[in-house]
Amino acid sequence: LRAYLMLFLPMIFGKWLNQLDIFSFLTVGMLMYNPYLVYNLSFIFSYLIYFFILLLQNQKAGKYYLFLGSIPIIISIQHVLPVFSFLIGILLMPYIEMIYKSMLYYLLLGKYVLPFLSLEYELLLKMIAFIYDFSFTLPFSQPTLFFIGVYYYLYLKGIYKLNVNRKVTQEVCLLLSVLLAFYFYPYYNMKGQVVMIDVGQGDCFFIQQPYARGNVLIDTGGLQKSDLATSRLIPYLQSQGVFYLDAVFISHEDYDHCGALTSLKEHFKVKKVIYDFKKKTIGDLVFKNLALDKYYTNSNDRSSIIYVTINRLNYLFTGDISKEVESDLYQTYHHLDVDVLKVAHHGSSSSSSEDLFKMIDPKVALISVGKNNRYRHPSYLTLKRLEAYGVKIYRSDLQGMVKIVYYVGKNYVMTSSGF
């Protein structure tokens, strides 16, 4: 729509307005029609790049410089930068222009042009598929506002220099330097986080250590009707600058805890999968399995009970254990320092017993649970018990993804509504 309006509107208003004026009115008009377009990545990409095209249209080097303007948006969408797309874009540009002209003829002549347009479109898809097979990409985390601001300041400064016929060598070098610095951002990022990823009715917790010292998942979640790994887990991990996992702990083999594991291993680098263990050190963290000398017939009760200290907070991940296991834990350990409790079995009434709270005194409870789930988790009794012990409750069905971000000895709980 933007392309065709920018084709026709200058024909009508070209005597009074230049193309930049017309484009400005068009942008304002589109946002007045639908203000939420400002959150649409395809709108941002299309309109911002066309704005750069207008600013560079009289410059011979414009089409080369244009690619640099698209980089922050590309890595915001894909979290990778296709290294050869700069050259590919230049090669395909004449062909894309031909397809647009064919589309215009199709609007005028209809079915007579359709076979040629279909052929051009199929060839384009085959070319893209061929290029994809030989593509090489660099991974990037989600761009920060600081990176985007600095990058586009330097980029617009370069556009100004081009339009006054000055060299932009310095700006190009600075842009590439900023890009390189952001590529290594995960390795000097001082923040760590523990994240309850919203996977619906299931469990998945992500632990990211500062300076890329270690990345861990505890369970992967699993949905029967969709692939959680490719639709949610991998995109989120990539957005956090994570492109491999040091370990995936599987508490037990229920589908809602490990169903996404197979796809995750197929599409993402996982160094090791850990089912049964006593103690594992990953980066600066020591994960302990509070194993009990007893065999349980129920698979939920055989869940690994993972205890780990992260930035002065003690976490207890309880899988799907029942009251029986909680009672045995109390008899064995009597007291555990726990600040953050992963509530067992999605807040079911079969867990979170009085014996558990005789042993621990958590400040925060994390309940990973699906919205309007058929099991009616979390149980009213469990919620009332947590409230009675003064525990702050965070639920994925109500608050979505919940993060505990830590930085230099301090910890902050972050939800979609803020800290």
Side-chain angles (χ1 to χ4, degrees):
L1 181 62
R2 188 266 309 153
Y4 285 114
L5 286 175
M6 285 305 299
L7 185 67
F8 287 114
L9 292 178
M11 297 178 185
I12 301 171
F13 300 105
K15 291 182 180 180
W16 303 280
L17 301 171
N18 62 39
Q19 282 195 317
L20 194 56
D21 294 329
I22 294 170
F23 179 67
S24 301
F25 282 118
L26 176 61
T27 304
V28 172
M30 292 293 286
L31 289 174
M32 289 179 67
Y33 174 73
N34 182 5
Y36 292 102
L37 281 173
V38 75
Y39 298 108
N40 187 297
L41 283 172
S42 60
F43 172 83
I44 294 169
F45 191 91
S46 175
Y47 279 67
L48 186 62
I49 296 303
Y50 192 75
F51 173 65
F52 293 150
I53 288 172
L54 292 178
L55 295 180
L56 293 166
Q57 61 184 336
N58 298 321
Q59 304 302 319
K60 291 181 180 180
K63 62 182 179 181
Y64 305 104
Y65 195 72
L66 182 63
F67 172 76
L68 293 173
S70 66
I71 286 177
I73 309 174
I74 291 172
I75 61 178
S76 294
I77 298 170
Q78 300 179 343
H79 304 121
V80 295
L81 179 64
V83 175
F84 300 121
S85 61
F86 172 67
L87 295 174
I88 293 164
I90 294 171
L91 293 173
L92 288 182
M93 197 176 293
Y95 191 76
I96 300 295
E97 289 176 357
M98 184 175 70
I99 290 178
Y100 265 90
K101 289 177 181 177
S102 298
M103 287 180 176
L104 180 59
Y105 289 129
Y106 172 68
L107 289 174
L108 298 173
L109 303 175
K111 63 181 181 179
Y112 300 106
V113 181
L114 186 58
F116 300 102
L117 180 58
S118 299
L119 178 62
E120 290 172 348
Y121 181 67
E122 288 299 322
L123 286 174
L124 177 64
L125 292 180
K126 290 185 182 299
M127 283 190 284
I128 291 172
F130 176 78
I131 292 164
Y132 182 78
D133 289 337
F134 294 93
S135 63
F136 171 67
T137 59
L138 293 174
F140 281 85
S141 59
Q142 186 70 22
T144 62
L145 287 175
F146 178 76
F147 164 75
I148 292 173
V150 171
Y151 190 93
Y152 278 124
Y153 167 76
L154 294 170
Y155 184 75
L156 291 170
K157 186 179 177 183
I159 289 179
Y160 169 76
K161 281 192 172 183
L162 282 172
N163 280 286
V164 293
N165 298 317
R166 292 170 59 187
K167 291 183 178 181
V168 292
T169 308
Q170 183 181 17
E171 278 67 33
V172 171
C173 289
L174 287 171
L175 284 172
L176 295 177
S177 299
V178 169
L179 193 62
L180 185 64
F182 188 68
Y183 174 76
F184 289 105
Y185 174 69
Y187 297 95
Y188 58 84
N189 182 12
M190 294 183 287
K191 293 186 299 182
Q193 58 180 345
V194 180
V195 185
M196 177 169 66
I197 301 177
D198 183 8
V199 293
Q201 185 65 16
D203 269 14
C204 183
F205 289 82
F206 169 56
I207 300 171
Q208 182 180 24
Q209 297 182 51
Y211 307 108
R213 287 174 180 159
N215 303 303
V216 171
L217 276 187
I218 298 177
D219 289 330
T220 66
L223 296 175
Q224 296 286 353
K225 295 182 179 179
S226 64
D227 185 353
L228 270 175
T230 55
S231 65
R232 191 166 305 180
L233 299 185
I234 295 173
Y236 176 71
L237 292 173
Q238 290 176 336
S239 74
Q240 301 303 297
V242 175
F243 299 94
Y244 68 89
L245 289 166
D246 294 279
V248 176
F249 291 92
I250 300 297
S251 65
H252 63 299
E253 295 188 357
D254 279 7
Y255 195 84
D256 62 332
H257 288 253
C258 67
L261 178 62
T262 301
S263 178
L264 181 67
K265 290 193 295 183
E266 288 177 0
H267 299 97
F268 200 75
K269 184 179 179 181
V270 178
K271 291 186 176 181
K272 62 179 107 174
V273 179
I274 302 170
Y275 293 93
D276 189 24
F277 70 103
K278 290 185 178 179
K279 183 185 288 188
K280 284 286 182 183
T281 300
I282 298 172
D284 296 332
L285 302 181
V286 179
F287 296 82
K288 299 176 183 177
N289 184 8
L290 305 184
L292 298 168
D293 293 330
K294 185 175 179 180
Y295 179 79
Y296 299 95
T297 56
N298 187 293
S299 64
N300 286 340
D301 288 341
R302 295 197 295 271
S303 298
S304 296
I305 305 166
I306 300 174
Y307 185 78
V308 58
T309 301
I310 306 172
N311 198 48
R312 302 178 188 174
L313 291 184
N314 299 309
Y315 291 76
L316 186 66
F317 296 89
T318 54
D320 280 350
I321 62 172
S322 68
K323 295 176 181 178
E324 180 186 353
V325 181
E326 292 174 350
S327 179
D328 292 339
L329 269 175
Y330 172 60
Q331 296 299 324
T332 303
Y333 292 97
H334 304 294
H335 176 74
L336 280 174
D337 287 325
V338 173
D339 300 293
V340 181
L341 170 68
K342 197 294 293 186
V343 176
H345 207 176
H346 322 289
S348 166
S349 60
S350 63
S351 308
S352 304
S353 62
E354 291 289 349
D355 280 343
L356 179 68
F357 292 100
K358 290 177 185 176
M359 180 179 63
I360 65 174
D361 183 23
K363 306 298 184 295
V364 171
L366 303 176
I367 305 178
S368 184
V369 63
K371 194 171 186 177
N372 301 321
N373 64 87
R374 60 176 177 163
Y375 308 102
R376 297 185 178 179
H377 292 159
S379 161
Y380 174 80
L381 292 174
T382 298
L383 294 175
K384 283 298 177 184
R385 182 165 291 145
L386 289 167
E387 290 172 0
Y389 282 96
V391 184
K392 177 69 174 177
I393 302 169
Y394 294 92
R395 298 167 46 176
S396 61
D397 61 332
L398 299 181
Q399 292 148 313
M401 185 179 293
V402 178
K403 301 180 180 182
I404 299 177
V405 180
Y406 62 93
Y407 172 78
V408 193
K410 294 186 178 180
N411 299 274
Y412 307 91
V413 180
M414 179 181 176
T415 66
S416 56
S417 59
F419 286 93

